[in-house]
Amino acid sequence: MSNEQIIWDQALIEKYNYSGPRYTSYPTALEFNEAFTSAEFEMACKQYPDRKLSLYIHIPFCHKLCYYCGCNKIITRHQHKADQYLDALEQEIKQRATLLGDRQVSQLHWGGGTPTFLTAEQISRLMNSLRASFNFDDDAEISIEVDPREIELDILDHLRSEGFNRLSIGVQDFNKDVQKLVNREQDEQFIFAMVERARELGFRSTNLDLIYGLPLQNREVFAQTLEQVLKMNPGRLSVFNYAHMPKLFAAQRKISEELLPSAKEKLGILQDTIATLTGAGYQFIGMDHFAKPDDELAIAQREGILHRNFQGYTTQGECDLLGMGVSAISMIGDCYAQNQKELKHYYRDIEEKHNALWKGVSLDADDLLRREVIKALICNFQLDKKAIETEFNIDFDQYFAEDLALLKTFINDELVSIDEQHIFVELKGRLLIRNICMCFDKYLRDRARQQQFSRVI
């Protein structure tokens, strides 16, 4: 497999480095509204009864505040708060199982927050509740996000015994000075031990999360982190761009802007990272994700069957996604639905009606068509126009005349090529895939809304 998966064109990257959505959904969460009803959700649950189910569970608690974090979380040392939360979550699980409990579950993911905030007993309690309400495939993919600072090594043994077979470990950066400035000091050797223990226990895959753009980071500092990461040989890597938005996220106000790398230095870090990881044999999946060539994500992308949802890139896009817990998002049938974002409102709704539906959106025919176009481009870097025409009974060039006109600038800059049957994203266009997808986003026709997103790189 060729190591050249991206061509870096500095001038074009700078030209197109404006803000835009990440397309974990189309339409994006900005289109969710509170007029969406439980009746609409329940109808969506009946829409595709033969689809398998992917479950997402949100655990909002963290022991410590990481200053860069923009996730929905609650900082506490009180373990009993997790018991109270599980009481409510179990009610939601039982209620949602009345709608979807006869489906086969092929995927489960715990995110947060910090799911490993839960004790071994609480982990077992939640898994027992899920297994009592839903039917899991024998080979279901069961994954969890792990904070290496607040966990004993034998918790991995417990997770494995409960059926977990994938881990995602938050590393962010191995440099101690960087860690101190973002309030996330951690033991490097312990992370090495975790990855090795996961391998010994038979976890299918271990993903390491890194962040670039943090205070005191530069090309040299981040290169040292990458060197350590490659020694662990993880199956997947996520390398996220830190978006400094202190007006939106109060914790980020604790980060001094003067210590952040310049935009030019950040691009340099990303350029070096891509060269290092692809040079080490990783496949560039898209935006911030890399995987070994024999990983399921990489194989799915090469076969043109990769998918994307609120959990990021996935091989199981034909599933309905049911999110449970505070702020969790579902993708059921032809709708999206989100739970209450504030814990007190989540508790209130669970107590009163056993679900915490807050807002959502039902997709119309145009939404479904554009979602398929954007998914094909963002996952596989190419689109078969004829396949879209057959599936949706349209004339592609006629239907998307306005969109193709917007795409012309990318074609002129040789980021995209187009022929009678296909749209191809060229190697130097892959880093700008979000911008390319934006051409097909009817909700972004009003450019003023772009300010609500982070920059694409």
Side-chain angles (χ1 to χ4, degrees):
M1 181 178 158
S2 168
N3 280 340
E4 187 174 52
Q5 301 171 51
I6 290 175
I7 294 174
W8 186 278
D9 189 312
Q10 185 78 16
L12 288 176
I13 287 169
E14 290 177 3
K15 174 181 177 179
Y16 289 106
N17 192 17
Y18 46 77
S19 53
R22 299 184 60 79
Y23 293 116
T24 50
S25 74
Y26 179 85
T28 70
L30 284 179
E31 310 310 324
F32 295 6
N33 61 81
E34 293 184 48
F36 183 81
T37 65
S38 289
E40 287 177 272
F41 182 86
E42 290 177 19
M43 281 178 60
C45 290
K46 298 172 184 174
Q47 202 166 359
Y48 304 110
D50 295 329
R51 278 187 186 171
K52 289 199 172 185
L53 201 57
S54 175
L55 302 179
Y56 171 75
I57 305 295
H58 191 80
I59 307 294
F61 305 107
C62 295
H63 290 106
K64 294 178 182 175
L65 177 67
C66 301
Y67 296 159
Y68 57 78
C69 184
C71 298
N72 187 30
K73 75 277 181 188
I74 293 157
I75 310 303
T76 182
R77 284 277 172 189
H78 299 295
Q79 205 66 41
H80 72 273
K81 290 192 175 182
D83 285 315
Q84 180 188 2
Y85 184 71
L86 293 180
D87 289 342
L89 190 54
E90 284 174 350
Q91 288 192 61
E92 184 183 12
I93 289 168
K94 288 174 184 174
Q95 196 281 330
R96 289 313 191 205
T98 64
L99 300 171
L100 295 158
D102 57 342
R103 304 269 197 103
Q104 285 297 119
V105 175
S106 60
Q107 189 178 48
L108 167 66
H109 181 72
W110 292 13
T114 305
T116 48
F117 178 94
L118 301 183
T119 64
E121 293 75 18
Q122 290 167 336
I123 289 168
S124 292
R125 175 186 170 187
L126 181 50
M127 281 304 297
N128 289 338
S129 177
L130 288 165
R131 291 191 188 280
S133 295
F134 291 97
N135 303 311
F136 283 78
D137 284 349
D138 291 339
D139 62 346
E141 176 184 301
I142 303 179
S143 59
I144 186 169
E145 296 168 14
V146 176
D147 182 345
R149 297 170 303 167
E150 300 282 345
I151 187 174
E152 298 296 329
L153 205 55
D154 62 4
I155 285 291
L156 295 190
D157 298 64
H158 185 71
L159 289 171
R160 191 72 191 93
S161 72
E162 286 291 352
F164 287 89
N165 48 38
R166 291 186 182 274
L167 293 180
S168 185
I169 302 174
V171 172
Q172 322 317 351
D173 194 303
F174 276 130
N175 184 280
K176 291 297 179 189
D177 294 328
V178 174
Q179 290 174 9
K180 287 174 184 173
L181 287 171
V182 296
N183 200 36
R184 193 185 173 92
E185 295 181 63
Q186 53 201 11
D187 183 343
E188 183 175 320
Q189 290 310 309
F190 183 71
I191 295 172
F192 271 79
M194 283 185 71
V195 172
E196 183 56 35
R197 186 72 185 133
R199 203 168 274 129
E200 291 169 358
L201 289 167
F203 279 84
R204 284 188 212 166
S205 175
T206 299
N207 178 85
L208 299 185
D209 289 337
L210 305 176
I211 298 178
Y212 71 97
L214 296 176
L216 291 189
Q217 281 182 338
N218 56 40
R219 297 172 83 155
E220 182 182 351
V221 165
F222 204 72
Q224 291 168 354
T225 286
L226 287 177
E227 186 180 336
Q228 294 301 90
V229 163
L230 288 175
K231 289 177 185 176
M232 288 184 273
N233 199 29
R236 298 177 186 176
L237 276 164
S238 303
V239 188
F240 296 108
N241 166 32
Y242 169 61
H244 190 63
M245 296 186 282
K247 289 181 181 177
L248 278 181
F249 306 114
Q252 293 187 358
R253 294 168 201 159
K254 295 178 180 291
I255 292 177
S256 172
E257 290 195 29
E258 303 87 65
L259 298 177
L260 295 174
S262 65
K264 182 180 179 182
E265 189 71 15
K266 273 183 80 172
L267 280 178
I269 294 171
L270 178 60
Q271 184 178 10
D272 292 349
T273 297
I274 291 169
T276 298
L277 294 180
T278 56
Y282 284 86
Q283 182 172 319
F284 177 73
I285 301 298
M287 294 189 291
D288 16 58
H289 287 72
F290 301 81
K292 288 286 188 69
D294 59 352
D295 185 274
E296 291 171 8
L297 283 185
I299 294 168
Q301 185 177 59
R302 293 198 301 274
E303 294 179 350
I305 55 172
L306 188 64
H307 295 272
R308 186 164 171 80
N309 61 24
F310 296 102
Q311 297 172 32
Y313 291 102
T314 177
T315 58
Q316 306 205 27
E318 297 306 324
C319 298
D320 273 342
L321 171 64
L322 173 62
M324 291 180 286
V326 63
S327 77
I329 299 177
S330 299
M331 186 170 70
I332 302 286
D334 294 338
C335 83
Y336 302 122
Q338 184 172 19
N339 277 352
Q340 288 287 355
K341 206 169 184 178
E342 289 188 38
L343 191 58
K344 63 182 179 181
H345 295 155
Y346 175 80
Y347 284 153
R348 178 200 66 204
D349 283 7
I350 292 292
E351 185 175 347
E352 291 177 2
K353 57 184 184 178
H354 304 299
N355 77 74
L357 180 66
W358 174 34
K359 60 183 181 177
V361 62
S362 291
L363 278 61
D364 61 24
D366 181 74
D367 292 331
L368 295 171
L369 168 56
R370 290 175 183 276
R371 178 172 74 175
E372 196 63 29
V373 167
I374 288 170
K375 185 182 77 171
L377 291 171
I378 208 163
C379 290
N380 304 310
F381 298 124
Q382 59 179 286
L383 172 84
D384 185 331
K385 292 196 287 181
K386 300 298 182 189
I388 295 290
E389 287 180 334
T390 300
E391 183 176 354
F392 292 94
N393 194 29
I394 61 159
D395 178 302
F396 191 96
D397 290 349
Q398 184 179 328
Y399 191 97
F400 289 108
E402 184 180 355
D403 313 86
L404 292 171
L406 291 172
L407 199 63
K408 195 78 170 66
T409 179
F410 297 95
I411 296 170
N412 293 341
D413 283 333
E414 300 179 345
L415 300 170
V416 172
S417 61
I418 190 165
D419 61 27
E420 192 174 318
Q421 182 162 348
H422 294 98
I423 297 174
F424 294 102
V425 179
E426 302 294 343
L427 293 183
K428 67 178 181 179
R430 292 187 172 190
L431 276 175
L432 296 163
I433 188 61
R434 288 163 68 182
N435 308 71
I436 293 163
C437 289
M438 285 158 66
C439 295
F440 294 92
D441 185 341
K442 72 175 182 183
Y443 296 99
L444 272 183
R445 295 291 187 258
D446 177 3
R447 291 293 175 185
R449 298 188 66 178
Q450 286 184 31
Q451 65 190 4
Q452 298 184 53
F453 301 109
S454 62
R455 286 183 178 273
V456 298
I457 294 179

